[in-house]
Amino acid sequence: MIDDKNRGNRRPSLLEPQSQGGDTADSGFEFQNNMILCKLPFWLSFEGFDSIIREATADFEVKFFAPSDGIYREAVEAKNHRITPGEFWGEISRFMELDEGSPGTYSKFTLCCSEISDELKPLISGLRRVREPQSF
């Protein structure tokens, strides 16, 4: 048992990290829900759209059926904050782990975020130049 002298007279507060965990998590889930609502009309435009699942291997996964290819899935990570290079490359590593651990399960990996750091903007611009001339 810890007495008051060893606690440094700290009092519980709504501002301490332990008290804010639920709000932080709820904000992330709300962002995920909003991403799904924004993308849903696009996904429904595909005849082979099958389903969405939240909080599976990725933040959400979307499943499609194509007669020529069968089932294919998209794994989506949604981040409600500015992505730094470290977090960006961590998410890319996670996508690679998913692909290596379950080859062929996912046809597409998507990282959605509310903002990217200035250090990532040249990379995103370069990827856009490669991606826009032809579809992947």
Side-chain angles (χ1 to χ4, degrees):
M1 185 169 160
I2 300 174
D3 61 20
D4 283 339
K5 290 178 186 177
N6 293 334
R7 287 181 52 139
N9 292 325
R10 291 186 345 204
R11 303 246 185 254
S13 166
L14 292 175
L15 301 177
E16 62 187 351
Q18 298 90 332
S19 299
Q20 295 179 359
D23 287 338
T24 301
D26 194 42
S27 168
F29 293 136
E30 185 177 335
F31 184 73
Q32 289 175 15
N33 288 338
N34 290 338
M35 287 299 308
I36 290 170
L37 287 174
C38 287
K39 297 277 288 184
L40 189 58
F42 174 72
W43 291 325
L44 287 171
S45 73
F46 292 93
E47 192 172 313
F49 172 76
D50 183 88
S51 61
I52 299 171
I53 184 170
R54 267 194 56 221
E55 291 300 316
T57 305
D59 285 338
F60 54 94
E61 298 175 22
V62 186
K63 186 168 67 170
F64 300 90
F65 175 77
S68 60
D69 302 321
I71 300 269
Y72 65 97
R73 291 176 178 84
E74 176 180 355
V76 181
E77 286 293 323
K79 305 299 176 195
N80 189 20
H81 56 271
R82 179 180 220 175
I83 298 291
T84 63
E87 185 174 10
F88 175 83
W89 291 113
E91 291 297 332
I92 298 301
S93 293
R94 175 64 179 149
F95 287 153
M96 290 171 65
E97 287 175 10
L98 289 174
D99 194 45
E100 290 169 3
S102 187
T105 298
Y106 301 98
S107 300
K108 185 176 180 182
F109 296 96
T110 302
L111 175 60
C112 299
C113 60
S114 57
E115 186 179 2
I116 59 170
S117 68
D118 290 339
E119 297 88 357
L120 288 171
K121 288 180 181 177
L123 173 65
I124 302 303
S125 295
L127 290 172
R128 188 174 294 119
R129 282 193 300 272
V130 170
R131 186 178 55 220
E132 287 181 357
Q134 60 183 351
S135 64
F136 280 85

